[in-house]
């Protein structure tokens, strides 16, 4: 298939907006695959901030990063992404060039612990404020579970109302696949 798969498309946008030495955010660390991808993109002089409410996710990501020698420039917060502005020192504001949210539950973890629209939207609003112009926020929306469908609807209602003078917003989705495949929303701050 020539069309990019969902995660590949998400990563391709981050590759465009993020350069070596940049500052970036993984808003849902999980098992750390996106954190590692970002750490690789920004290099040892860059900075990655990661958030997850589950200690299990933070610990497994720490180990994964150490194993892959990508841990030096990563700061992990065992806190919700709704605390982004209070957690990240203000000296980093207006310097963040990329952020990713992989919504839903931790693969292989507790399926009852899921991202929720209210906190996701709060984090997006904070990011729009503190990111650098042309910085890109990626949302990978999983909506095959009940909470995911609720979150999808509320997040879509919100992102569709972001003022076009503030950000460009796009959707990338396979529209003929069965079983509610995930899709991407990308928000580029203007
Ligand atoms: C789909 S997983 C992330 C997968 C991850 N990006 C990876 O590469 O493995 C979603 C994660 O979001 C976390 N989460 C749920 N609510 C959160 C919140 N308010 N802030 C940060 N993380 C949250 C969950 O604990 C879970 O680990």
């Amino acid at each position: 298939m020539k069309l990019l798969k969902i995660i590949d498309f998400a990563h391709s946008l981050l590759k465009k907006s993020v350069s070596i030495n940049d500052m970036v955010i993984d808003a849902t660390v999980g098992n750390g695959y996106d954190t590692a991808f970002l750490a690789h993109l920004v290099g040892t002089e860059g900075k990655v901030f990661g958030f997850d409410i589950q200690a299990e996710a933070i610990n497994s990501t720490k180990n994964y990063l150490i194993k892959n020698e990508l841990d030096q420039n990563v700061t992990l917060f065992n806190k919700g992404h709704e605390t982004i502005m209070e957690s990240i020192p203000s000296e980093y504001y207006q310097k963040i060039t990329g952020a990713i949210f992989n919504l839903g539950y931790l693969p292989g973890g507790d399926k009852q612990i899921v991202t929720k629209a209210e906190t996701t939207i709060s984090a997006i609003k904070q990011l729009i404020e503190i990111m650098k112009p042309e910085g890109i926020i990626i949302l990978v929306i999983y909506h095959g579970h009940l909470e995911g469908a609720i979150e999808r609807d509320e997040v879509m209602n919100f992102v569709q109302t972001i003022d076009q003078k503030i950000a460009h917003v796009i959707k990338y989705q396979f529209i003929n696949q069965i079983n509610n495949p995930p899709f991407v929303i990308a928000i580029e701050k203007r």
Side-chain angles (χ1 to χ4, degrees):
M1 183 169 76
K2 303 287 184 194
L3 293 172
L4 290 177
K5 292 181 191 152
I6 289 300
I7 294 293
D8 293 339
F9 179 73
H11 286 183
S12 74
L13 292 181
L14 288 171
K15 274 188 200 157
K16 273 192 177 194
S17 64
V18 176
S19 305
I20 199 96
N21 301 343
D22 277 1
M23 281 124 210
V24 293
I25 296 179
D26 186 353
T28 53
V29 159
N31 291 316
Y33 302 124
D34 291 322
T35 320
F37 171 77
L38 290 171
H40 189 70
L41 273 189
V42 300
T44 48
E45 303 295 314
K47 186 89 201 144
V48 183
F49 295 104
F51 292 83
D52 205 294
I53 52 171
Q54 296 191 67
E56 180 194 344
I58 295 291
N59 291 334
S60 77
T61 294
K62 246 180 222 161
N63 293 335
Y64 183 71
L65 293 172
I66 291 169
K67 207 167 118 196
N68 290 283
E69 297 179 12
L70 287 167
D71 57 306
Q72 300 121 306
N73 58 346
V74 180
T75 302
L76 296 174
F77 296 104
N78 186 189
K79 296 201 245 181
H81 41 232
E82 61 277 14
T83 69
I84 277 178
M85 276 179 84
E86 66 184 61
S87 305
I88 294 181
S90 53
E91 65 193 90
Y92 292 104
Y93 291 9
Q94 307 308 323
K95 293 183 181 160
I96 297 155
T97 55
I100 184 162
F101 294 70
N102 237 301
L103 301 176
Y105 53 80
L106 179 64
D110 184 346
K111 292 190 177 170
Q112 304 303 317
I113 305 174
V114 292
T115 51
K116 303 251 169 69
E118 190 186 347
T119 40
T120 301
I121 292 168
S122 163
I124 298 168
K125 286 182 179 165
Q126 294 177 46
L127 278 172
I128 291 174
E129 218 174 306
I130 68 169
M131 281 179 76
K132 189 174 171 177
E134 299 191 336
I136 292 186
I137 305 165
I138 302 287
L139 314 174
V140 185
I141 302 192
Y142 292 84
H143 52 119
H145 56 292
L146 180 63
E147 291 267 15
I150 296 168
E151 184 178 34
R152 172 201 61 206
D153 292 344
E154 292 185 28
V155 169
M156 287 305 292
N157 283 341
F158 167 66
V159 296
Q160 283 166 0
T161 63
I162 297 173
D163 186 336
Q164 67 180 54
K165 295 192 201 85
I166 305 279
H168 305 284
V169 185
I170 63 139
K171 181 179 184 186
Y172 182 79
Q173 179 177 30
F174 288 89
I175 57 174
N176 64 337
Q177 283 182 358
I178 58 164
N179 294 334
N180 307 306
F183 63 91
V184 169
I185 294 294
I187 303 166
E188 179 181 333
K189 180 174 173 175
R190 298 185 71 164

